[in-house]
Amino acid sequence: MGRPEKPVDRTVPERAQLADFLRERRNTAGLTYGQMAKATGGRPSAATLERAASGTKVPSLDTVECFIQATTTDKESFGPGAAQDRARNLWIRARRATRAPSYVGQAPDPTLISDTAGFLRALRHQHAWIGYPTPGEMERISGPGVLPRTTTRRIIAGDALPVDPHQAVAFLKACYVINEAELERWLAAAIRSLKNDPVRTRSVGGWIEAHRVMALRVKSNAMSEHITELRNRLIPRAA
């Protein structure tokens, strides 16, 4: 396994928790950082993977996801999905602990939004709560042309609202709001806000349609989960 690793830096507890989780994954898989780098095609490098598990800094999410992929074993019969979710949550907590300002004590609640000023403020607080991802990071997450850096900067600065629901969802997803039920609540908040704004109320139609589609997806997902739960309960009885 090579030379012993230095102890995890515990200066920031949330950062240390992420490092502990990554080290546990590597130890369970019984791999060196060199072997992990080889499994990922050399990107990230062995040195980058080792730094990710040091606790000295918050690695990029891409590095964390590669780390999980490289340490997935045959014993994880359902693949790396659960571990990726756990790693992402730990990464978000670590990033928040090192970047989010003290005045943002919790994630904004979209159900409390009633006007466009409040909607824009909540978007900015979500951006701060998640640890200030840069416009460049957000553009890469969203894909080419979906969330231009100039637009993102204006939203973050409080100078402009997203131009349409697709851009709003892209902004939120780039701030790691990825649960569709939560996105549905944000779209509902946008509709309330626009309806209360005489200047923007005429543009609310597209938002209503986007919300309708998202709400249907949330309902469909909930139904699928319910059916799966019922099936899992019945199968043991049938056996």
Side-chain angles (χ1 to χ4, degrees):
M1 295 296 291
R3 59 181 174 79
E5 286 188 275
K6 294 180 180 179
V8 170
D9 185 328
R10 302 197 176 275
T11 307
V12 179
E14 294 84 355
R15 206 166 57 193
Q17 288 170 7
L18 173 61
D20 286 339
F21 179 70
L22 296 179
R23 287 196 181 191
E24 181 182 355
R25 295 276 308 176
R26 186 180 78 88
N27 291 333
T28 299
L31 298 171
T32 67
Y33 289 111
Q35 290 169 328
M36 290 168 58
K38 186 176 181 179
T40 61
R43 293 185 180 182
S45 67
T48 299
L49 292 167
E50 186 171 6
R51 280 195 299 272
S54 69
T56 58
K57 60 177 292 187
V58 181
S60 71
L61 184 57
D62 284 344
T63 295
V64 171
E65 290 178 343
C66 287
F67 199 113
I68 299 303
Q69 190 67 45
T71 54
T72 298
T73 66
D74 293 338
K75 293 181 180 179
E76 295 174 276
S77 55
F78 293 101
Q84 292 283 20
D85 289 344
R86 172 64 174 157
R88 186 182 297 110
N89 288 335
L90 288 171
W91 179 84
I92 288 172
R93 290 181 59 196
R95 181 153 174 151
R96 182 185 304 137
T98 54
R99 291 194 183 189
S102 58
Y103 71 84
V104 183
Q106 61 184 7
D109 183 352
T111 64
L112 302 178
I113 300 169
S114 60
D115 56 34
T116 50
F119 184 67
L120 181 55
R121 183 167 56 252
L123 289 175
R124 297 175 67 201
H125 279 191
Q126 179 64 37
H127 177 257
W129 170 248
I130 214 64
Y132 288 118
T134 68
E137 289 175 308
M138 297 174 73
E139 185 178 44
R140 287 193 296 275
I141 291 170
S142 303
V146 179
L147 193 64
R149 300 184 192 195
T150 52
T151 300
T152 304
R153 289 191 185 98
R154 295 186 68 202
I155 296 171
I156 292 169
D159 295 332
L161 285 165
V163 297
D164 56 38
H166 305 294
Q167 193 172 84
V169 169
F171 184 94
L172 288 163
K173 285 184 174 180
C175 290
Y176 301 97
V177 179
I178 56 178
N179 181 277
E180 290 187 336
E182 193 171 355
L183 288 170
E184 183 270 329
R185 288 191 286 271
W186 277 94
L187 289 174
I191 292 169
R192 289 194 303 273
S193 303
L194 293 169
K195 283 183 175 179
N196 288 331
D197 189 325
V199 176
R200 296 183 174 90
T201 188
R202 287 182 297 177
S203 66
V204 76
W207 294 82
I208 292 173
E209 176 60 17
H211 175 263
R212 185 188 70 82
V213 171
M214 186 67 73
L216 286 174
R217 287 165 60 178
V218 171
K219 185 176 181 180
S220 176
N221 290 340
M223 187 175 297
S224 297
E225 289 174 4
H226 180 63
I227 291 172
T228 299
E229 183 180 353
L230 287 175
R231 185 183 294 117
N232 290 339
R233 288 180 181 177
L234 291 172
I235 288 174
R237 293 181 183 178

